[in-house]
Amino acid sequence: MSIVQAAPAQTVLRLRRENLWKKIATHGFTLGVLALWEITSWRIPAYLLPGPLDVAQSLAWLLGTPAGLVQVGASLLHVGLSMLLAFVAGAAVALTPYYVGWLRPAIDSRLTPFLNSFPGIGWTLLAIIWLGLGLSTVIFAVTVILLPFMIINIREGVRTVDQDLIEMTQSFGSNRRRDFFFIVLPTLFPFMFAAVRVSFGVSWKVALTAELFGGSRGLGYTMNIARQELETSQIYAVIALIVVIVFLSNRLLFDPLQRRLQVSSRKPA
Amino acid sequence: MRPADLTRTVAQRAIADGLVLLALAVWWWSSRHLPASVIPSPQAVLARLVAIATEPALGWHALVTTLRVMASVLLSLVLGLALALAAHARPWLDGIITDRILVVLSGMPSVGWAILAVIWFKVSEFTVIFVQVMILLPFALINFTEGLRNLDQEVIEMADSFSTRRTATLVHVIIPMLLPYGIAALRVSYGVCWKIALVSELFGAQSGLGYLMLQAQSVGDVVTVVATCLIIVLLFTLGEALIINPIARTLRKDIAQAEAG
């Protein structure tokens, strides 16, 4: 910011002009893609590429009719419940080595890498075998897929807990309970936020997969029905809705919060 | 390391492996009390794992999936670098790439790509690679963009003043400075690619572990479903230890040497 203020008027003008061009190019690109999509859709059968207006209509069905909203709400329920369960379980697993030191290698180099490399679709198919089609299968699959994301992020925070500070409070007669609430938990907050942020984006995407194979409701289920009936515009609408949800939640919720917390999120690789 | 620490480390390792054995024992015990269609026995899964590793007809699927993962990771790194460089070099492209293309790519559900790609390109080798590259692209793009943002502008100005050719600056200065971010991109892409390899092969392929698993699931063959998942875990771990870690180590050594020399 200070560079712009200190720069001579000419540079400011040049930067402004560059910014204007960037805006024109970006919005022009959006319009261009929409126009190209519309024109291409005239020549190609609708089951391959439905036009933008068809997709908008399907989107309106999803968001504007009770039948559509039931599916959106079901996905919301799946995402919310799974995130809650994965958060609690992930925090518990991440904190275990802190309190039970001898379990550290078991959790850090056995359990977490295993969970982290186990394919999500595998959990989904196994859940179908174990629990049948329905709510519990989707919740189980999404929760287990989210677990490594939660563990890895929160574990990062557990490692930064200030041991000197703990020693000091203990020498002043504090106990583990008080230390947990006044030192450990506050240290973990930014990392828990990062965990929730990463998991939120992932959860919508994996819920879609889980619902597609093992659900009896939700956006993924809607997409599967649309796939079988060749209603391609409905598939596009579901995908568009998820892209918009992930984008808006980042822009309106997580980015502003993150700026306050200033901690970079970490993804398991 | 003090002897006491060493003893403790060894003991903790032993506990870790002991717990793995305990988990296997619990699995074995529960497989005896539940129908094989719910929990297959560890022996049966192990036998299937060996079969996938040794029988050409089954091993073929594992090989195909591995090759696809390698190809997609490479392609996505090259494409991600190209896009990031384009956004960096031409300011008017920056909005299109980071505010449009990246937003759509990172919000796109993987199963959405898998379904759309089959609708567009039918069942083919290209379909699988396309799905994987599209899913990996945002990870590579984010890492390289981050790297370009942190480039040392003074070094680039100096390089420009020594040479008038921009390609020379790109090859000898910018790309080497991006290497750490390239390593990060490689690691993330590699991990993600193994996870989504199965999804990308579910609809669009006639070979590979994803195809094998869906076939098995549709006839209720739990043994193969579990074995496929474990093969993925094994291949991922092996590839990381034998390919990714050595690459990262070599590149890091190069960087250290370049900085020291």
Side-chain angles (χ1 to χ4, degrees):
Chain A
M1 275 302 140
S2 60
I3 298 170
V4 176
Q5 278 159 11
Q10 251 179 338
T11 319
V12 175
L13 271 180
R14 192 176 59 82
L15 278 177
R16 251 190 221 152
R17 207 177 322 128
E18 255 177 26
N19 247 333
L20 183 69
W21 273 116
K22 194 170 136 179
K23 266 194 191 139
I24 293 175
T26 310
H27 293 300
F29 176 78
T30 313
L31 290 177
V33 167
L34 280 175
L36 193 70
W37 177 7
E38 174 70 35
I39 292 167
T40 319
S41 72
W42 296 342
R43 294 153 181 260
I44 288 181
Y47 72 88
L48 276 180
L49 187 74
L53 290 175
D54 295 331
V55 175
Q57 227 163 26
S58 299
L59 207 53
W61 177 84
L62 267 182
L63 293 173
T65 64
L69 280 173
V70 166
Q71 308 299 344
V72 180
S75 284
L76 202 62
L77 177 78
H78 295 155
V79 167
L81 258 179
S82 311
M83 282 201 46
L84 189 71
L85 287 172
F87 180 82
V88 173
V93 173
L95 274 165
T96 304
Y98 182 75
Y99 289 109
V100 194
W102 52 270
L103 275 176
R104 186 183 302 278
I107 288 175
D108 284 1
S109 55
R110 293 291 180 277
L111 181 66
T112 311
F114 174 75
L115 287 176
N116 195 24
S117 56
F118 202 91
I121 193 75
W123 285 124
T124 309
L125 295 188
L126 287 175
I128 296 171
I129 293 165
W130 292 333
L131 306 164
L133 300 182
L135 183 74
S136 41
T137 290
V138 176
I139 300 285
F140 172 81
V142 180
T143 305
V144 182
I145 296 171
L146 290 182
L147 253 182
F149 292 85
M150 297 286 189
I151 298 175
I152 285 171
N153 275 289
I154 299 176
R155 182 176 71 186
E156 220 42 50
V158 173
R159 284 180 183 157
T160 63
V161 171
D162 190 343
Q163 283 311 314
D164 294 341
L165 200 62
I166 302 261
E167 265 175 41
M168 193 186 74
T169 57
Q170 300 235 333
S171 74
F172 280 112
S174 176
N175 56 32
R176 289 200 137 185
R177 235 181 82 112
R178 282 179 62 95
D179 280 348
F180 176 76
F181 283 109
F182 291 106
I183 300 173
V184 178
L185 210 52
T187 313
L188 292 187
F189 269 140
F191 296 90
M192 290 176 161
F193 171 77
V196 170
R197 173 179 193 152
V198 171
S199 307
F200 185 78
V202 175
S203 69
W204 279 97
K205 298 182 197 175
V206 297
L208 200 66
T209 315
E211 288 165 358
L212 197 147
F213 288 99
S216 48
R217 267 205 195 86
L219 290 171
Y221 172 78
T222 311
M223 196 152 97
N224 197 26
I225 301 291
R227 192 171 71 96
Q228 284 160 16
E229 295 175 358
L230 283 178
E231 276 185 49
T232 314
S233 70
Q234 193 60 258
I235 298 175
Y236 279 68
V238 168
I239 292 172
L241 184 62
I242 297 218
V243 171
V244 169
I245 290 174
V246 172
F247 171 73
L248 284 185
S249 63
N250 273 327
R251 198 44 74 85
L252 301 178
L253 184 69
F254 292 120
D255 280 346
L257 280 172
Q258 174 124 35
R259 243 169 273 137
R260 289 186 167 191
L261 287 163
Q262 281 306 331
V263 129
S264 60
S265 50
R266 201 172 277 267
K267 285 189 178 169
Chain B
M1 204 185 278
R2 286 177 314 175
D5 286 344
L6 189 69
T7 323
R8 209 177 56 201
T9 315
V10 172
Q12 288 187 353
R13 286 269 165 78
I15 289 167
D17 291 326
L19 285 174
V20 172
L21 286 179
L22 182 70
L24 282 174
V26 169
W27 176 10
W28 174 77
W29 182 82
S30 46
S31 75
R32 292 190 46 176
H33 293 79
L34 287 163
S37 59
V38 177
I39 305 269
S41 70
Q43 307 95 293
V45 173
L46 184 69
R48 194 59 48 91
L49 275 179
V50 172
I52 293 179
T54 52
E55 281 175 31
L58 289 171
W60 168 246
H61 291 293
L63 181 69
V64 166
T65 300
T66 312
L67 290 177
R68 282 176 188 150
V69 166
M70 301 291 165
S72 303
V73 168
L74 276 181
L75 265 174
S76 68
L77 287 183
V78 172
L79 272 177
L81 177 63
L83 277 178
L85 281 173
H88 185 70
R90 298 275 176 276
W92 61 271
L93 274 175
D94 184 43
I96 295 177
I97 290 173
T98 45
D99 293 340
R100 293 292 178 273
I101 295 178
L102 182 59
V103 163
V104 172
L105 284 180
S106 42
M108 235 1 227
S110 45
V111 78
W113 279 124
I115 290 180
L116 288 184
V118 174
I119 294 177
W120 292 337
F121 311 121
K122 307 284 180 275
V123 174
S124 70
E125 201 56 44
F126 175 78
T127 306
V128 179
I129 303 283
F130 172 83
V131 174
Q132 295 185 349
V133 170
M134 283 300 143
I135 299 172
L136 297 183
L137 198 49
F139 297 97
L141 182 52
I142 287 172
N143 273 295
F144 283 121
T145 307
E146 186 66 25
L148 284 166
R149 208 167 278 158
N150 295 337
L151 275 185
D152 192 339
Q153 282 304 324
E154 283 181 18
V155 175
I156 292 174
E157 273 172 30
M158 190 178 77
D160 275 336
S161 73
F162 281 128
S163 160
T164 46
R165 283 184 304 137
R166 301 208 66 177
T167 46
T169 314
L170 182 71
V171 173
H172 295 296
V173 180
I174 297 186
I175 302 272
M177 284 200 323
L178 285 179
L179 264 184
Y181 297 91
I183 297 174
L186 173 70
R187 274 189 184 288
V188 174
S189 307
Y190 176 78
V192 174
C193 198
W194 272 113
K195 281 195 195 178
I196 53 94
L198 292 180
V199 178
S200 66
E201 289 172 345
L202 284 179
F203 305 111
Q206 295 285 11
S207 60
L209 292 171
Y211 171 78
L212 188 69
M213 185 161 85
L214 198 64
Q215 293 296 310
Q217 204 264 342
S218 64
V219 295
D221 177 3
V222 200
V223 177
T224 305
V225 174
V226 177
T228 322
C229 294
L230 293 181
I231 278 276
I232 293 270
V233 173
L234 284 176
L235 285 175
F236 164 80
T237 317
L238 269 182
E240 183 156 68
L242 298 180
I243 301 174
I244 305 292
N245 285 342
I247 290 179
R249 231 173 287 135
T250 321
L251 290 180
R252 233 178 252 133
K253 224 177 274 163
D254 282 355
I255 297 167
Q257 271 171 3
E259 273 168 5

